Amino acid sequence: MGGKYRFIPELGPDELAAKQLEGLKWTVSHTSRNSPFYAAHFKGNSIEAGDIKTLDDIRKLPFTTANDLKEGYPLPLLSVPEEDVVRIHGSSGTTGKRKILSYTQRDIDTWKNMFARCYELAGLTTLDRVQVCVGYGLWTAGAGFQLGSEHFGAMTLPVGPGMLEIQLQILVDLEATCLCSTASMALLLGEEANKAGLTEKLKLKRCIFGGEAHTPKMRRQFEESLGLESSHDISGMTELYGPGAGIECQAQDGIHYWGDQYIAEIIDPVTLEPVADGEIGELVVTTLSKEASPLVRYRTRDLTRIIPGECACGCSMPRHDMISGRSDDMFIFRAVNIYPGQIGSVLEAFPEASSEYQILLERRQGLDHMTVNVERQPGVSADNDANLAKAICDRIRKFILVRANVEILKPGLLPRSFAKTKRVIDERL
Ligand code: ZN
């Protein structure tokens, strides 16, 4: 072929559209035959696989929501026999609310290929050394970054999150050239490297970061302190394989997404109609080859817009803008997506605590901290506050998988509102 890329296919608009239509037809046929959820979902909306004749016919299909995943817990949207599932990943959430997604071997292969494209578009070569400083385990982050890096052919250094001393040691001794982390971790590592006088010894050229909100200021700061040539925001979500669904290129004008693997629609979150080209709305995704947990018009709640036109970098894959927010109230804490309501459900287990709570998010020394202020129920003695705080803290850790500092306040201390109570005070940015 002799193309520009090893992993990224170069498709003209017509070729891409043909591939999308083929994948859409396959997905609708596959899910209506093999998924009880989708079969019922389509039937309820009088849709048959044969109704999909053009790409525009996607609008005939019903939306799928996070709620559908919740109702199908623990194996929502499952569209293959269980014996074909080789991997499970999940997101944060209380029991029954956690999103659990399953993968066949082909799904894993699709994911690692999409991820390899990300490294390629960020400008890495097989001589690069990739230090992965994100969470491993149930999360998709660590597994995705590692799979992709190995498939791409770079030397992979799977350190995991935290452990600053070890991070610095590996960065220096193994001469890592690419850091994969959250923006706040990159910021923190830059500061620590400076303090330890190691800045000169770093060989880092790039940082691939994602999973939480960041500001251009933060970005400039860690690019400078780590001596980077460039940094690249990576996109993705557990429902859509994980991170690696798209990435910023060298031209840094939006995120190229892998349009041959999923269709991105932008809708008005209220009317549910498509917005005009280039306007901001909610991102809705439909997978084109996902076997185990396919997505059909899945409402991501992420707000973004399609960037029309060709990118200066020469990559023909389509682009969307940075995610500018959520169509609901989710916040991201240390790369974990959290809804205020999840904290509320944790508190429900404690009769000594009132339902009034407030979440305070702060950034100290580059790390995010969460304080959950909870009011004691009127009539309950303050003597037990320390135990109550610890029990709530433990339960948050258990169900939401993050560490929060819990403060018990006397009844009536938190602000009240007749309208929507502001549950989250975000002082991080
Ligand atoms: Zn580009």
Side-chain angles (χ1 to χ4, degrees):
M1 297 223 301
K4 184 173 171 186
Y5 302 109
R6 272 199 303 148
F7 294 96
I8 305 169
E10 293 177 72
L11 300 168
D14 293 343
E15 287 169 297
L16 180 64
K19 234 178 152 26
Q20 288 187 331
L21 179 57
E22 187 194 336
L24 179 63
K25 284 179 175 172
W26 177 83
T27 296
V28 176
S29 154
H30 166 61
T31 50
S32 52
R33 276 181 292 121
N34 301 315
S35 150
F37 165 78
Y38 280 117
H41 204 36
F42 294 155
K43 199 161 181 237
N45 288 274
S46 310
I47 294 286
E48 284 174 27
D51 293 339
I52 303 299
K53 296 188 176 66
T54 70
L55 272 182
D56 285 339
D57 290 334
I58 195 170
R59 289 172 59 185
K60 295 178 181 168
L61 297 168
F63 292 103
T64 309
T65 64
N67 214 36
D68 295 324
L69 267 72
K70 195 173 81 183
E71 278 170 16
Y73 185 88
L75 293 173
L77 316 182
L78 190 64
S79 306
V80 295
E82 222 181 283
E83 65 189 81
D84 291 344
V85 174
V86 301
R87 178 85 70 84
I88 291 292
H89 279 294
S91 69
S92 64
T94 51
T95 308
K97 284 179 184 163
R98 192 187 304 289
K99 290 172 194 154
I100 299 282
L101 281 302
S102 37
Y103 300 68
T104 63
Q105 186 56 52
R106 190 177 150 207
D107 294 335
I108 296 287
D109 292 344
T110 303
W111 186 22
K112 76 180 181 197
N113 191 46
M114 291 200 299
F115 220 124
R117 295 175 181 184
C118 292
Y119 287 112
E120 183 162 53
L121 202 57
L124 272 71
T125 73
T126 50
L127 289 173
D128 272 290
R129 298 178 174 196
V130 177
Q131 186 154 331
V132 182
C133 321
V134 294
Y136 276 80
L138 198 53
W139 314 125
T140 48
F145 275 101
Q146 177 161 353
L147 264 177
S149 172
E150 290 171 353
H151 186 55
F152 179 74
M155 185 196 290
T156 312
L157 313 167
V159 183
M163 306 184 291
L164 288 177
E165 240 169 87
I166 297 174
Q167 301 286 5
L168 287 176
Q169 189 190 341
I170 302 290
L171 276 177
V172 171
D173 293 354
L174 283 142
E175 305 187 336
T177 56
C178 177
L179 184 75
C180 302
S181 70
T182 59
S184 51
M185 177 73 169
L187 207 55
L188 189 61
L189 274 173
E191 285 167 4
E192 290 298 311
N194 270 329
K195 267 191 233 161
L198 294 172
T199 313
E200 295 295 305
K201 294 196 170 137
L202 297 182
K203 297 282 190 291
L204 282 175
K205 283 190 254 177
R206 301 183 208 292
C207 172
I208 296 177
F209 67 98
E212 63 173 18
H214 69 278
T215 61
K217 194 179 152 198
M218 272 175 83
R219 189 169 171 167
R220 277 197 304 277
Q221 215 171 315
F222 72 70
E223 282 178 349
E224 201 179 295
S225 63
L226 292 169
L228 303 178
E229 288 171 19
S230 63
S231 65
H232 304 264
D233 193 359
I234 193 165
S235 70
M237 64 194 90
T238 309
E239 301 92 306
L240 188 57
Y241 301 94
I247 193 167
E248 259 183 304
C249 63
Q250 304 269 346
Q252 301 203 326
D253 186 15
I255 289 174
H256 286 277
Y257 67 90
W258 313 126
D260 59 330
Q261 292 301 337
Y262 63 98
I263 294 173
E265 295 174 87
I266 308 289
I267 62 159
D268 180 319
V270 180
T271 66
L272 306 183
E273 292 296 321
V275 299
D277 213 17
E279 268 180 37
I280 288 188
E282 181 181 319
L283 175 66
V284 170
V285 293
T286 301
T287 54
L288 300 173
S289 70
K290 204 165 185 257
E291 294 181 328
S293 323
L295 302 178
V296 174
R297 301 197 87 196
Y298 180 70
R299 293 190 58 188
T300 67
R301 311 283 166 173
D302 283 333
L303 298 176
T304 185
R305 65 182 190 102
I306 297 293
I307 300 180
E310 280 171 31
C311 182
C313 80
C315 174
S316 60
M317 282 288 169
R319 287 173 298 157
H320 64 72
D321 214 338
M322 306 289 175
I323 306 300
S324 60
R326 301 277 299 176
S327 55
D328 44 26
D329 291 329
M330 188 205 78
F331 63 92
I332 302 176
F333 176 77
R334 298 194 181 181
V336 178
N337 297 353
I338 301 173
Y339 294 88
Q342 288 177 254
I343 302 284
S345 344
V346 163
L347 295 180
E348 276 167 23
F350 299 93
E352 314 93 306
S354 90
S355 61
E356 288 301 322
Y357 66 96
Q358 196 173 60
I359 301 159
L360 175 64
L361 302 169
E362 294 163 293
R363 181 161 287 146
R364 292 197 294 268
Q365 283 133 24
L367 261 193
D368 288 357
H369 294 269
M370 175 171 16
T371 302
V372 180
N373 290 310
V374 185
E375 282 183 13
R376 199 185 309 122
Q377 198 64 266
V380 171
S381 156
D383 294 346
N384 196 36
D385 279 0
N387 288 332
L388 179 58
K390 184 176 184 307
I392 293 172
C393 178
D394 288 348
R395 204 171 166 87
I396 289 173
R397 178 111 181 111
K398 184 172 172 196
F399 288 112
I400 312 178
L401 307 179
V402 295
R403 213 181 283 277
N405 172 41
V406 176
E407 300 277 1
I408 309 295
L409 311 177
K410 67 179 184 190
L413 214 62
L414 288 173
R416 304 291 203 269
S417 164
F418 290 108
K420 202 174 167 210
T421 306
K422 192 166 163 53
R423 294 282 182 209
V424 183
I425 311 278
D426 196 341
E427 296 183 340
R428 292 177 296 180
L429 299 181

